[in-house]
Amino acid sequence: SVDEVHDDPRMWLEDVEGEAQLEWVKAKNAEATYIVGDPVQSATYKRILSILESKEKIPYIGRVLLHKEVADVPSLDDLTYYNFWQDADHVKGIWRRCSLDEYKKASPSWETMLDLDALSQKDDTTWVWGGSTILRSSNLAPVDRTLIALSRGGADAKVVREYDFLTKDFLPDSEVPFVLPEAKSTYSWLDRDTLIVGGSFFGEEALTDSGYARTARVWKRGTPLASAVEIYRGKKTDVAAGVDLTLESDGTRYWIKYRAITFWTSHHELAIVQPGGAEPDLTKPFAKVPMPDDARLGTFQSQLMITLRSDWLGFARGSMLAAPAADFMKLTLSDEKALKALLRPLFEPTDTCSLEGSSETKNYVIISVLNNVRNEIRFWRYDKKSGFTLESTHLDEGFAMTYVGGLNAAFSDDMICNVTSYLQPTTVALAHATKPSERTPLKALPAFYDVSNLKVDQFHATSLDGTRIPYFLITRKDMKLDGQTPTLLYGYGGFEISMTPSYVATVGVGWLEKGYAYAVANIRGGGEYGPRWHQAALKLKRHKAYEDFEAVAKHMVERGVTTHDRLGCQGGSNGGLLTGNMITRSPQLFGAIVSEVPLLDMRRFNVLLAGASWMGEYGNPDEPEEWKMIRTFSPYHTLCCTTKPTPTLFTTSTRDDRVHPGHARKMAGKMVELGLPVLSYENIEGGHGGAADNKQRAFMQTLTFTFLEKALVQKTILPALAKRSNTHGGRARLASVKYMMGLKVSNALTTPMRRFKGVPASKAWMLPFLAAAGVTATLTVQAARRR
């Protein structure tokens, strides 16, 4: 039994960088590549790497900045367009820029701003790009400074350094630059010589139990970081707390103090500064925003944008509402009639229609809607006198998805439109919000693999409780329903994240081109039908997501697409927990299972790295009644010797400081000891994405596809594992007791990563990264904007 912490004989494997632990990891890695084969020698690896490093990839625009004085409103030609790029010549990547005229060319002439390969060599550190935070004193002020975040090996913890656009380099020490040490920190500009910061560098009391910033402090240039003055403090039990500032296109400035009480609930205080007005006293409380704690807050010009996660004032959960900020903030939560009179619904859900997201230009709020997991874009024009008007609606053909974003919402209604689908290479076009259907093509991916004989269908399976569960299936047009097609089923089912169509060429090369089928399940726990779909599998109702996934697997077999021994499943992070439960709940449904950067030990997830912040999603295992239910979906605890021997591959990363690699280590070890067919591979770098550069990404993807093919098609994994010589599953009770006692002595039961260099008491709470969907959640809309 491992129900109690002191009963876990593999706890010592949680010491991420311990010498003995890494030796154990390396032995498992060697076994995996011996049985599966060295991915680097595979033709699939070379194909995938050629895609990831192709110079024909789309150089997506990351930022659009104004760097010069203009007499009037800037034109598109006055702006500079930024891109972060990786290829064979730039393994770690370069941050670069060009004009719009150059960007329109097939081979633009780029100006390099930062070369991470050169910087990594100079600093003898593997630097991974972490984004930029721009200093913007006003909407029309030329931008000349930014903060650049860099992480070692792809970890969530980052070093932050001040960068000068004029010299195209980091500020020298002689100019007293802002530099934040490696940590999971929060930071934003107050003015040119002042930052608002929070993080572990202020000590344990400045962190929440989740390891995120609990305080916000004002740090003046040239003063010690330790002298920064505290202006806001959340509670120890919060997920995170901080202060944010948003500058709107009309000049309105919104100061927001926030406490993320749980992953899904927040407390917001707001101060509004009209153009030319005086800034508020940051040390004093602001007025509380009169909305439910589980609602999401955003701003647009003079309006507050409120997205509901529960029913409120007659509006259904999933609605997006607008209200005049100044009038709204004069009220309290008890003024229900007055509040409702001010609210204007921009979106209200139906049984099939949900809010996917929103973006903005200077005068438009652009709403992305899913209708039975099919895309629709709605354009709401805002006028200060007449308010919001629904001006146009755009429907995509088939299963294509259109992602629209303003080029520079501070002074323009110009947009970038990205269109993608499972079989359609992604395209990028320039458009204007007044005429969204008139688009000027800018870039397009080439067809990296042959799709001429492929098709996409949408089907529905019936879950155990009668709920219809949609899923996408990509197959050959001439596929026979004889059960002979090897099929891979992908799922996630958590954190209100929707699995929507996108062009993923690596899946095409690694799987579809070989005549195999690929399916994506839109199970509960996700966001495909809004908050109700997510909440249907929340916490103690988690089993609903697993029943949905099982229903999709059975439906494909019943239709004759495949058979259970030719059906594999794959998921990462929360999806790794999903596929981990397939190992223990229904291994008979699958011929192979892949669990990537997974959560698996749900008894200790809340004290490992990001875990405390996810109790809003899974529940609290320290509460005995909740643990009784959580235990039912904790694979590390439900795994037993009677589990059907289904070939399983776990992948994780040593540098993942979001989901602890100990989950995969311990689960793989237990399966080895039970004589179950399991392999594990842990990338020494890579963070929560599993890889730090394209070679690592190609390696990990090839390893996965090869494992699946050998398990489902060639049937060689089981015989090879039957002859395994490495049967050390990590059981070391004395070492685990010593490790546990060391945690107690250091008073660090919630921070067991002390040996993880540079990440003292730091854990991530943000949503797991999904490369295909490219979707994350943030505490507030404002926090996302300033990145």
Side-chain angles (χ1 to χ4, degrees):
S1 170
V2 290
D3 278 23
E4 296 301 328
V5 172
H6 61 264
D7 289 333
D8 187 354
R10 301 174 196 85
M11 188 188 294
W12 70 288
L13 291 174
E14 294 174 6
D15 187 352
V16 175
E17 293 186 330
E19 183 177 350
Q21 289 82 351
L22 287 179
E23 287 302 315
W24 186 89
V25 165
K26 291 174 182 177
K28 296 303 178 190
N29 287 356
E31 179 185 51
T33 54
Y34 176 77
I35 291 178
V36 177
D38 182 0
V40 175
Q41 304 304 316
S42 165
T44 299
Y45 170 84
K46 294 177 176 63
R47 287 282 308 282
I48 291 177
L49 184 59
S50 71
I51 291 171
L52 296 177
E53 295 188 335
S54 171
K55 295 186 184 300
E56 295 182 274
K57 292 183 304 182
I58 294 175
Y60 292 103
I61 295 172
R63 285 199 176 278
V64 181
L65 300 178
L66 178 67
H67 288 305
K68 61 183 180 180
E69 297 282 355
V70 291
D72 201 354
V73 178
S75 70
L76 293 180
D77 293 329
D78 291 323
L79 304 173
T80 304
Y81 300 79
Y82 283 78
N83 162 257
F84 183 76
W85 180 262
Q86 290 176 303
D87 60 21
D89 299 323
H90 308 96
V91 177
K92 304 306 176 189
I94 53 174
W95 194 39
R96 58 188 189 172
R97 67 184 183 182
C98 70
S99 67
L100 182 59
D101 282 343
E102 281 295 328
Y103 188 79
K104 291 177 179 179
K105 296 178 181 178
S107 299
S109 177
W110 294 93
E111 180 183 19
T112 298
M113 303 300 287
L114 183 64
D115 186 332
L116 288 193
D117 293 273
L119 185 65
S120 295
Q121 185 175 13
K122 175 186 174 184
D123 295 347
D124 193 25
T125 300
T126 301
W127 288 121
V128 175
W129 178 253
S132 61
T133 302
I134 304 298
L135 168 62
R136 185 178 280 111
S137 56
S138 69
N139 286 324
L140 294 178
V143 173
D144 68 343
R145 295 285 176 87
T146 187
L147 299 173
I148 289 180
L150 302 169
S151 72
R152 302 176 195 273
D156 280 351
K158 294 175 176 63
V159 172
V160 179
R161 299 169 64 179
E162 188 175 2
Y163 182 92
D164 189 332
F165 283 105
L166 299 179
T167 63
K168 293 178 284 188
D169 201 354
F170 293 110
L171 258 68
D173 290 343
S174 60
E175 296 190 36
V176 195
F178 285 118
V179 177
L180 289 174
E182 188 175 34
K184 293 174 185 172
S185 54
T186 59
Y187 47 90
S188 60
W189 293 95
L190 178 56
D191 57 44
R192 189 176 188 82
D193 293 311
T194 316
L195 298 183
I196 299 176
V197 297
S200 58
F201 29 70
F202 293 122
E204 292 285 338
E205 282 304 306
L207 296 172
T208 65
D209 290 339
S210 296
Y212 262 86
R214 178 187 176 191
T215 66
R217 307 182 188 215
V218 173
W219 182 30
K220 292 286 187 180
R221 188 186 299 276
T223 64
L225 180 58
S227 68
V229 177
E230 183 176 312
I231 58 173
Y232 188 62
R233 174 177 289 258
K235 294 183 178 180
K236 188 71 173 171
T237 55
D238 291 341
V239 171
V243 177
D244 212 352
L245 171 63
T246 297
L247 174 62
E248 289 294 332
S249 61
D250 64 353
T252 305
R253 293 160 68 90
Y254 291 98
W255 286 95
I256 298 177
K257 294 184 176 182
Y258 63 84
R259 288 176 47 223
I261 302 168
T262 70
F263 202 94
W264 300 110
T265 57
S266 297
H267 172 106
H268 295 89
E269 298 175 17
L270 180 66
I272 306 170
V273 181
Q274 301 297 340
E279 300 293 352
D281 184 343
L282 299 181
T283 64
K284 295 182 179 179
F286 299 161
K288 187 180 186 305
V289 181
M291 67 179 195
D293 283 346
D294 64 351
R296 292 195 294 267
L297 178 66
T299 59
F300 179 79
Q301 294 195 27
S302 63
Q303 300 282 303
L304 296 184
M305 312 300 290
I306 299 171
T307 304
L308 301 182
R309 299 197 72 257
S310 59
D311 297 345
W312 184 51
L313 302 180
F315 299 105
R317 57 183 171 176
S319 297
M320 184 176 182
L321 313 171
D327 291 339
F328 197 79
M329 290 303 297
K330 295 175 183 177
L331 304 173
T332 66
L333 202 56
S334 62
D335 299 321
E336 294 188 354
K337 186 175 180 180
L339 288 171
K340 184 173 183 178
L342 292 175
L343 292 167
R344 169 70 188 276
L346 302 187
F347 174 81
E348 293 183 277
T350 67
D351 288 343
T352 62
C353 202
S354 66
L355 178 67
E356 170 67 2
S358 65
S359 58
E360 64 188 53
T361 65
K362 178 178 173 60
N363 297 299
Y364 286 81
V365 171
I366 306 166
I367 293 178
S368 177
V369 172
L370 289 182
N371 194 341
N372 276 326
V373 206
R374 300 193 184 200
N375 191 223
E376 176 183 322
I377 307 292
R378 302 176 184 177
F379 292 82
W380 287 87
R381 183 178 179 88
Y382 177 70
D383 179 84
K384 286 195 173 183
K385 293 182 179 180
S386 57
F388 284 98
T389 303
L390 180 60
E391 198 167 83
S392 64
T393 298
H394 174 83
L395 297 174
D396 283 305
E397 295 182 3
F399 301 115
M401 293 288 297
T402 297
Y403 297 97
V404 178
L407 263 181
N408 194 316
F411 41 73
S412 167
D413 287 322
D414 295 291
M415 311 180 305
I416 285 288
C417 301
N418 296 319
V419 181
T420 187
S421 72
Y422 286 120
L423 302 181
Q424 172 189 333
T426 305
T427 62
V428 176
L430 189 63
H432 198 273
T434 57
K435 299 178 180 179
S437 297
E438 297 180 11
R439 300 176 183 177
T440 302
L442 291 176
K443 302 291 178 183
L445 280 178
F448 282 117
Y449 69 104
D450 184 10
V451 301
S452 59
N453 195 35
L454 295 178
K455 64 173 183 173
V456 183
D457 292 297
Q458 186 183 43
F459 298 98
H460 290 78
T462 302
S463 195
L464 196 62
D465 63 0
T467 302
R468 280 166 50 85
I469 309 302
Y471 68 94
F472 293 104
L473 178 64
I474 309 169
T475 66
R476 291 177 62 89
K477 293 177 182 177
D478 58 358
M479 182 192 70
K480 297 179 180 178
L481 295 176
D482 57 4
Q484 296 303 303
T485 302
T487 302
L488 176 58
L489 173 61
Y490 186 88
Y492 188 76
F495 294 94
E496 207 173 322
I497 291 177
S498 303
M499 296 289 98
T500 54
S502 63
Y503 184 75
V504 186
T506 53
V507 174
V509 167
W511 194 252
L512 290 169
E513 257 191 354
K514 300 176 181 180
Y516 308 151
Y518 184 74
V520 177
N522 301 116
I523 60 179
R524 283 174 286 184
E528 287 84 352
Y529 294 100
R532 69 175 179 88
W533 198 247
H534 169 242
Q535 293 164 12
L538 194 63
K539 292 187 175 180
L540 306 186
K541 296 178 282 187
R542 203 84 208 160
H543 60 282
K544 295 294 184 182
Y546 308 145
E547 291 170 2
D548 295 352
F549 198 67
E550 291 160 349
V552 172
K554 293 174 183 176
H555 190 257
M556 288 193 292
V557 172
E558 291 167 359
R559 289 190 60 250
V561 174
T562 189
T563 53
H564 291 302
D565 68 325
R566 288 178 173 266
L567 175 61
C569 67
Q570 178 187 18
S573 195
N574 175 77
L577 175 61
L578 165 70
T579 55
N581 271 277
M582 296 303 103
I583 298 170
T584 58
R585 283 176 55 100
S586 49
Q588 72 282 356
L589 297 182
F590 302 98
I593 297 173
V594 176
S595 179
E596 301 167 313
V597 288
L599 289 88
L600 296 163
D601 178 358
M602 301 306 288
R603 178 63 183 87
R604 280 182 53 74
F605 86 90
N606 63 322
V607 295
L608 296 174
L609 298 177
S613 64
W614 300 333
M615 289 191 290
E617 182 79 8
Y618 302 120
N620 184 357
D622 293 332
E623 294 292 335
E625 289 305 310
E626 290 193 42
W627 168 239
K628 288 180 183 179
M629 283 301 298
I630 294 171
R631 189 189 188 282
T632 65
F633 61 85
S634 179
Y636 186 54
H637 296 86
T638 55
L639 181 72
C640 63
C641 59
T642 59
T643 299
K644 175 185 174 293
T646 299
T648 300
L649 172 67
F650 293 106
T651 63
T652 189
S653 168
T654 307
R655 290 294 298 176
D656 188 348
D657 52 354
R658 191 177 308 179
V659 174
H660 198 297
H663 285 279
R665 291 180 183 182
K666 295 196 297 181
M667 183 72 170
K670 185 175 181 181
M671 290 185 69
V672 167
E673 291 171 4
L674 291 175
L676 297 172
V678 62
L679 293 169
S680 63
Y681 191 93
E682 182 173 317
N683 192 17
I684 303 302
E685 293 181 336
H688 191 55
D693 58 43
N694 287 330
K695 286 184 171 61
Q696 292 179 16
R697 295 181 188 104
F699 183 99
M700 298 301 286
Q701 291 183 45
T702 302
L703 181 74
T704 297
F705 287 131
T706 305
F707 166 80
L708 287 164
E709 190 169 23
K710 288 192 172 185
L712 300 175
V713 183
Q714 300 171 12
K715 307 292 185 182
T716 59
I717 296 295
L718 275 176
L721 284 174
K723 302 175 184 178
R724 78 189 318 162
S725 58
N726 182 358
T727 58
H728 180 20
R731 176 181 287 270
R733 188 170 295 279
L734 180 59
S736 294
V737 169
K738 289 181 177 179
Y739 176 70
M740 179 179 65
M741 293 305 295
L743 295 179
K744 290 182 177 180
V745 168
S746 63
N747 193 29
L749 276 171
T750 59
T751 54
M753 292 284 287
R754 292 293 184 179
R755 298 194 57 169
F756 199 174
K757 181 181 178 182
V759 197
S762 295
K763 316 175 194 69
W765 71 275
M766 302 305 294
L767 287 179
F769 175 76
L770 295 172
V775 180
T776 59
T778 56
L779 283 171
T780 63
V781 172
Q782 293 77 19
R785 285 180 187 160
R786 61 183 175 83
R787 295 295 183 269

